[in-house]
Amino acid sequence: MMIFFIVGLIVHVVFFLSIFDIYFTSPLVHGMTPQRVPLAPPAKRLVLFVADGLRADSLFKPDDNGTGRAPYLRSVIEESGTWGVSHTRVPTESRPGHVALIAGFYEDVSAVAKGWKENPVEFDSVFNESRHTWCWGSPDILPMFAKGATGDHVYTYTYPPEREDFASTDASRLDTWVFDEVKDFLNVAKSNETLLNMLHEEQNVFFLHLLGIDTNGHAHRPMSKEYIENIGLVDSGVAEFVSVMDDFYGHDGKTAYIFTSDHGMTNWGSHGAGHPSETLTPLVAWGAGVQTAQREGSHKYDDNYLKEWGLETSMRVDVNQADIAPLMSSLIGVPFPVNSVGVLPLNYLNNSQHFKAESIYANAIQILEQFRVKMAQKKETTISFLFTLYQPLTDSKQMDFMRNARNLIQKGQFDEAVSIRYCEDLIVQAMEGLSYYHTYDRLFLGSSVVLGFIGWTSYVVLFILKTHASLRKPPTNILGQMFLCIGLLVALFLMVQSSPWTYYIYCLLPVPVWFSVMRDLVRSVPSLPLSKCFGYFLLVTFGIELLVVSFFYRAMLTLGLVVLALWPLVSGLYTKAKVRSLSWMLSCLFLAVFPLLPVVGREPDVNYVGLFLSHLLEMYFLMMQVVLCAYILTSTHSSLQLKQGLPLFNQLVSWLTLVSSFLIPLLSSTRLFHRLLSILMSLVCVYLLLSTGYEALFPPVLSWLMFAWINIEQETMNTQGSSNRTEVGASLQPLTDFAENIDITKIRQLRLDDIRRSYYFVFFIIIAFFGCGNIASINSFDPASVYCFLTVFNPFIMGGLLMWKVLIPFVIVMCTFESIQVSTQLSSRSLFLVVLVISDLMALHFFFLVKDHGSWLDIGTSISHYVIVMSMTIFLMLLSVMTHILTSKRILIGRKRKMHFR
């Protein structure tokens, strides 16, 4: 059994990692030749303003009185520049947003495992191609571009990390610091001849990262006075900096300006997913080489934003976020970043048609270079007669494209209907070809993983039947030789293709799995009631579909809880145990309310927190701790609203509560009721400190249902005459003791009714995850949840605290399930096997639903759900190994005592 759990854990880790190898491998290739426009650029220098966390509507939409929130940028839009909406991609976070802006590609999943500040993968950027780049802003963003640049020409100036404080009295001071530092830098340069000469060279970039808007948005929400006033401060700061730059360079008219944002923000102050408030960011460009304001008679956008923003007469030019990188390169004449997949937005350029044609041609060749390298790499790792070319761009067609485009430019046919349109078609074909070769092995690898997944699930089912139904094994000699040959052939095939070592794992894993399935294939029909088995099969199938749908529609969990509430009536338990049945039914119905409520964090209100105290009436000492935590929470948020910062006493109590929550349960009685209540109260205290609204009521209601579940399962066992009465209430004796050694003679075999228990467990796990929010969506996590512990931005500590908040209901359900296993006298490994089958079927369902979304984690889609289910399954496997070790020790002691008695 131990070998089975360890192998199962390894198999699930492989299945978990496979989703990234199949769908989210790095898109980067190396070895391309940089491409630049051969004509003189219109600008000598470029200034990039990135207002972190600024939504498009927050900038463009006028106030209620009709005045603009950013009068200077509004005047640029209406008079001297070009504007539009920059469409970002998920995840809408600062790191991938800046990579898309400055490097022109959408960062891959490998970046997550390499840290937040460092440059995780080698990639080219506008900063790297520039002559000099000076950056001012956040220590979380700037270092990754400085460390990735070749040479020593990217200079960064950052404020201390402690300034990124969500409890700050005025987060806009972060932006004030940036503007003041830039002005001081230019003043110092006037007396520093070396620096002055560097500043007057061409192809220079100035990058101003403005974090104040994002910080105020997290702390006070985007509709707050602080957020809106911060926009005005940034606008005035931009206006003043433009004036300073013009004076410094003698009004030479050779400076280009771009103002944009890395991502937006939801109304509840978070980001990370794909809501329009997160993906629609502003883009305003003006200065040297940029098209001046154009009037537009007809509108090609039907989203009604122009009317809402009062910009019906101004021409709007939308772009993808990665398109800004080639725009910046074209303006100052540096090579396009070699990894960029952005398409140059020609409508932003105020230059000759010749310049536009040469620019889009260089853009097309730069993307075509990536296509060629990608094709060559795939060709080297594929057997020649199996390799399938991307037909629209074979070698001959590539040469024809390039030759025809160059001839059209040389003939002076620059208009958009000829050479420019021709190059744009080449870009489209090259992009599709890049996707074709990037996903070339996807079907092959996906099929291998699915084959292994189905085989593993079949093996677990057969393992359960073999363990609990005494089934025979067929001869394995010939079978083993056959599968050995299959494995050798697969390995030889992969070796010939020079496949990566991960391919060997995904393709060879199904071989031993299916060998085990065939070896243990049942030769005789077990003595089980087939009609009842078929009925359970239909119920489990329906139940799994309900669980899958609930990942997309939380209200389905309400439906499931209502159905579960009727179980005592359907099973006849109500007539035998009315009090327990009523407790079960009421707790199910109360818990069913939570999935119907808005996702936690969208409308935070700590006043809800006080309501849950009426649910907790046991254990005076722990109650005092809960009351203290409730006071800490309300006083902390009150202090932050008054802009008085996080009180040190509150912070100390919060961290002490977190640490003690791991120790107090270990010091409590091992009797079932006392141990569970101790665990509950300790976890509730921590959960309370991490709450921002109605979710503070969730653990008490969930715990009520869990106690009712234990009671009603014991009543079920009593009805079946399979166990003595084991109560959990203080007035119900005797109590189960977790410290008791297990008597192996009392451990029973698996029954069909245990399938129901396992399904209930999986269902309650999903309830624990999704009852108060959508953990598959990054924007469901509110930073305000951790304000009792810290307010200075730290992604790892904050992420860890938020993850523990997610896991607390999970732990409550897990402890309950262990209690049920003890009280029903069934081996925990047997129940876990059934749970494993159910969770594997769910994961397999999501694997089939996965689509290619173009980013490492498209929030709210099947890919994130697959990751969640597989993570849950791996966690259960780890817990199974630990439980098996502890249980085996207790069984061994029980067996020795039984032998001694005999």
Side-chain angles (χ1 to χ4, degrees):
M1 182 63 73
M2 177 56 66
I3 295 175
F4 171 83
F5 278 130
I6 294 175
V7 171
L9 181 61
I10 295 173
V11 167
H12 282 84
V13 169
V14 171
F15 290 156
F16 175 80
L17 296 177
S18 68
I19 200 71
F20 299 104
D21 257 353
I22 296 173
Y23 289 95
F24 299 120
T25 52
S26 174
L28 299 184
V29 291
H30 302 283
M32 293 80 67
T33 303
Q35 303 294 320
R36 70 169 69 231
V37 180
L39 304 178
K44 292 183 178 180
R45 67 200 70 92
L46 179 135
V47 179
L48 173 64
F49 304 95
V50 176
D52 204 305
L54 178 59
R55 295 162 42 149
D57 60 343
S58 296
L59 178 69
F60 297 138
K61 186 178 180 180
D63 288 330
D64 295 335
N65 56 11
T67 59
R69 297 169 178 173
Y72 175 76
L73 290 174
R74 186 84 174 191
S75 67
V76 169
I77 292 172
E78 296 176 346
E79 299 171 8
S80 58
T82 302
W83 74 284
V85 173
S86 171
H87 296 265
T88 69
R89 286 193 186 182
V90 289
T92 46
E93 297 290 341
S94 291
R95 183 193 184 97
H98 281 87
V99 170
L101 284 170
I102 300 168
F105 76 93
Y106 302 100
E107 197 173 34
D108 64 284
V109 67
S110 61
V112 178
K114 303 292 181 64
W116 184 263
K117 300 178 183 179
E118 294 185 359
N119 194 347
V121 289
E122 293 183 9
F123 61 84
D124 196 14
S125 69
V126 175
F127 293 175
N128 186 48
E129 296 292 350
S130 68
R131 191 173 304 263
H132 302 286
T133 295
W134 290 273
C135 311
W136 294 266
S138 169
D140 296 316
I141 297 299
L142 305 189
M144 68 177 175
F145 292 101
K147 292 181 181 179
T150 56
D152 188 19
H153 65 280
V154 178
Y155 312 96
T156 60
Y157 304 89
T158 63
Y159 38 74
E162 293 76 20
R163 292 203 177 197
E164 298 179 12
D165 191 346
F166 294 115
S168 171
T169 56
D170 184 14
S172 62
R173 65 180 183 175
L174 298 176
D175 300 337
T176 302
W177 183 93
V178 170
F179 288 122
D180 290 344
E181 287 293 316
V182 174
K183 288 183 289 185
D184 292 343
F185 172 79
L186 293 178
N187 288 331
V188 170
K190 294 177 182 179
S191 58
N192 186 327
E193 184 176 354
T194 302
L195 179 57
L196 188 65
N197 292 333
M198 292 170 59
L199 288 171
H200 279 84
E201 294 180 10
E202 297 182 355
Q203 300 178 346
N204 285 340
V205 177
F206 300 84
F207 174 40
L208 281 66
H209 178 242
L210 308 169
L211 187 62
I213 293 177
D214 182 77
T215 306
N216 271 318
H218 286 306
H220 306 289
R221 307 297 181 258
M223 303 303 173
S224 65
K225 180 187 69 166
E226 291 83 358
Y227 187 89
I228 301 301
E229 289 179 350
N230 204 152
I231 295 176
L233 183 146
V234 167
D235 179 73
S236 60
V238 169
E240 183 180 1
F241 178 70
V242 170
S243 176
V244 170
M245 286 288 287
D246 287 344
D247 292 340
F248 185 84
Y249 286 103
H251 296 270
D252 63 354
K254 291 295 184 180
T255 306
Y257 300 92
I258 290 180
F259 181 92
T260 187
S261 176
D262 55 346
H263 57 76
M265 186 172 289
T266 62
N267 290 341
W268 52 95
S270 62
H271 52 82
H275 191 274
S277 62
E278 300 166 90
T279 61
L280 302 183
T281 59
L283 174 61
V284 183
W286 70 99
V290 178
Q291 185 65 263
T292 56
Q294 301 292 310
R295 301 300 174 187
E296 189 171 42
S298 59
H299 307 297
K300 61 180 180 179
Y301 304 101
D302 56 0
D303 50 23
N304 205 37
Y305 286 138
L306 289 174
K307 183 178 180 180
E308 181 182 339
W309 298 339
L311 294 169
E312 300 98 319
T313 59
S314 299
M315 188 175 74
R316 167 183 162 190
V317 183
D318 286 8
V319 301
N320 292 321
Q321 192 173 49
D323 299 341
I324 298 176
L327 173 62
M328 293 190 292
S329 298
S330 176
L331 289 172
I332 58 175
V334 300
F336 294 105
V338 294
N339 302 116
S340 171
V341 293
V343 180
L344 178 64
L346 296 176
N347 289 333
Y348 276 82
L349 296 181
N350 182 19
N351 215 313
S352 65
Q353 290 296 103
H354 184 197
F355 183 85
K356 292 182 179 181
E358 289 285 3
S359 297
I360 197 68
Y361 176 78
N363 191 188
I365 298 302
Q366 170 258 323
I367 296 178
L368 184 63
E369 282 281 317
Q370 296 182 69
F371 168 81
R372 286 174 167 174
V373 173
K374 197 76 174 179
M375 182 181 69
Q377 289 179 352
K378 187 53 56 182
K379 198 170 185 178
E380 290 177 359
T381 58
T382 307
I383 300 176
S384 57
F385 68 88
L386 294 178
F387 182 72
T388 305
L389 284 170
Y390 178 66
Q391 292 302 320
L393 272 184
T394 59
D395 291 341
S396 59
K397 291 181 179 180
Q398 292 178 41
M399 297 302 297
D400 291 341
F401 263 117
M402 296 170 59
R403 183 170 52 252
N404 293 338
R406 176 47 61 191
N407 289 338
L408 290 172
I409 293 175
Q410 290 176 349
K411 292 178 181 179
Q413 298 179 356
F414 306 129
D415 56 284
E416 294 189 6
V418 188
S419 59
I420 293 178
R421 181 63 59 190
Y422 199 82
C423 291
E424 290 176 343
D425 291 341
L426 174 58
I427 290 176
V428 172
Q429 293 292 344
M431 295 285 284
E432 292 179 355
L434 269 173
S435 177
Y436 172 81
Y437 286 119
H438 185 63
T439 60
Y440 190 85
D441 293 331
R442 181 164 296 175
L443 179 61
F444 170 66
L445 292 178
S447 300
S448 299
V449 171
V450 168
L451 190 63
F453 222 135
I454 295 175
W456 168 257
T457 306
S458 303
Y459 174 69
V460 175
V461 172
L462 290 175
F463 189 88
I464 295 173
L465 293 175
K466 181 180 68 174
T467 304
H468 296 276
S470 301
L471 303 177
R472 301 193 306 267
K473 296 182 182 179
T476 60
N477 292 336
I478 300 178
L479 200 62
Q481 295 173 3
M482 182 179 69
F483 275 91
L484 179 61
C485 292
I486 294 174
L488 292 174
L489 289 175
V490 172
L492 181 62
F493 175 77
L494 296 174
M495 189 181 301
V496 171
Q497 293 204 124
S498 302
S499 300
W501 63 271
T502 53
Y503 282 37
Y504 287 84
I505 297 176
Y506 302 140
C507 296
L508 290 176
L509 181 62
V511 177
V513 170
W514 277 103
F515 166 71
S516 301
V517 171
M518 300 302 296
R519 182 193 61 190
D520 296 337
L521 193 61
V522 182
R523 291 292 182 88
S524 59
V525 178
S527 55
L528 295 173
L530 297 181
S531 59
K532 195 173 183 180
C533 287
F534 182 71
Y536 265 93
F537 173 76
L538 292 179
L539 287 175
V540 170
T541 301
F542 171 77
I544 290 176
E545 289 300 317
L546 176 66
L547 293 177
V548 170
V549 175
S550 68
F551 275 68
F552 300 94
Y553 306 99
R554 290 174 60 227
M556 294 301 296
L557 296 174
T558 298
L559 175 62
L561 285 167
V562 171
V563 172
L564 291 186
L566 302 176
W567 171 48
L569 297 176
V570 176
S571 63
L573 287 173
Y574 180 77
T575 59
K576 302 173 183 177
K578 291 186 178 181
V579 175
R580 295 184 176 190
S581 298
L582 284 175
S583 178
W584 166 267
M585 295 167 69
L586 289 176
S587 57
C588 283
L589 294 177
F590 271 99
L591 195 64
V593 174
F594 287 91
L596 298 178
L597 298 175
V599 172
V600 165
R602 300 191 177 186
E603 297 295 336
D605 186 358
V606 296
N607 293 326
Y608 283 111
V609 173
L611 296 177
F612 88 104
L613 292 175
S614 60
H615 294 274
L616 305 171
L617 303 174
E618 300 286 346
M619 302 182 71
Y620 175 77
F621 172 75
L622 287 175
M623 271 298 299
M624 292 303 296
Q625 187 180 10
V626 172
V627 172
L628 175 62
C629 290
Y631 165 75
I632 293 296
L633 178 67
T634 54
S635 65
T636 296
H637 284 269
S638 175
S639 177
L640 295 179
Q641 288 176 357
L642 296 174
K643 298 184 179 180
Q644 296 176 352
L646 173 60
L648 179 60
F649 173 76
N650 293 10
Q651 189 175 23
L652 290 175
V653 171
S654 299
W655 283 106
L656 286 174
T657 301
L658 176 63
V659 174
S660 64
S661 67
F662 296 99
L663 302 177
I664 291 177
L666 300 177
L667 303 177
S668 64
S669 170
T670 57
R671 309 296 279 179
L672 187 147
F673 174 75
H674 296 117
R675 174 58 63 90
L676 286 182
L677 188 59
S678 177
I679 293 173
L680 161 67
M681 300 295 283
S682 299
L683 294 178
V684 163
C685 290
V686 178
Y687 198 91
L688 176 59
L689 293 171
L690 293 168
S691 298
T692 61
Y694 71 84
E695 80 269 27
L697 300 169
F698 184 70
V701 177
L702 178 64
S703 302
W704 175 21
L705 177 57
M706 293 298 99
F707 277 106
W709 186 24
I710 296 173
N711 271 294
I712 205 163
E713 288 292 356
Q714 291 171 347
E715 188 62 38
T716 302
M717 295 297 295
N718 294 339
T719 301
Q720 296 173 349
S722 301
S723 69
N724 296 323
R725 198 173 192 127
T726 309
E727 314 290 358
V728 296
S731 61
L732 303 176
Q733 299 293 335
L735 298 178
T736 298
D737 195 325
F738 285 110
E740 291 180 355
N741 297 312
I742 297 176
D743 187 348
I744 191 173
T745 61
K746 293 183 179 181
I747 296 179
R748 61 179 178 83
Q749 291 290 336
L750 194 69
R751 298 171 181 161
L752 284 176
D753 204 39
D754 294 320
I755 299 177
R756 174 190 55 76
R757 294 187 177 93
S758 300
Y759 177 79
Y760 280 10
F761 169 68
V762 176
F763 181 80
F764 290 140
I765 286 293
I766 304 303
I767 287 286
F769 277 139
F770 293 100
C772 291
N774 179 15
I775 65 168
S777 178
I778 292 177
N779 74 10
S780 294
F781 298 100
D782 186 359
S785 297
V786 302
Y787 286 173
C788 289
F789 295 87
L790 76 165
T791 56
V792 177
F793 178 69
N794 188 310
F796 300 107
I797 296 179
M798 288 181 168
L801 290 171
L802 290 172
M803 186 55 63
W804 181 234
K805 179 183 178 181
V806 170
L807 290 176
I808 284 175
F810 181 94
V811 173
I812 292 174
V813 176
M814 287 295 302
C815 293
T816 303
F817 193 58
E818 176 66 14
S819 301
I820 290 175
Q821 173 265 318
V822 172
S823 60
T824 58
Q825 298 177 345
L826 176 65
S827 172
S828 60
R829 64 194 183 201
S830 300
L831 279 176
F832 274 123
L833 287 176
V834 181
V835 170
L836 190 61
V837 172
I838 296 174
S839 58
D840 280 349
L841 289 174
M842 288 177 58
L844 187 60
H845 197 302
F846 285 124
F847 194 93
F848 281 118
L849 292 177
V850 168
K851 300 290 189 301
D852 180 15
H853 297 283
S855 68
W856 74 269
L857 183 61
D858 195 355
I859 310 300
T861 59
S862 299
I863 196 71
S864 55
H865 297 148
Y866 175 84
V867 170
I868 291 170
V869 174
M870 289 305 300
S871 300
M872 179 186 75
T873 307
I874 291 173
F875 184 81
L876 289 174
M877 292 297 297
L878 286 170
L879 193 63
S880 299
V881 173
M882 293 186 293
T883 303
H884 178 73
I885 294 173
L886 296 175
T887 304
S888 299
K889 182 178 179 181
R890 292 162 66 192
I891 289 176
L892 180 61
I893 295 174
R895 182 187 290 118
K896 289 181 178 179
R897 289 185 177 180
K898 188 72 175 179
M899 292 176 64
H900 178 72
F901 176 77
R902 287 179 178 176

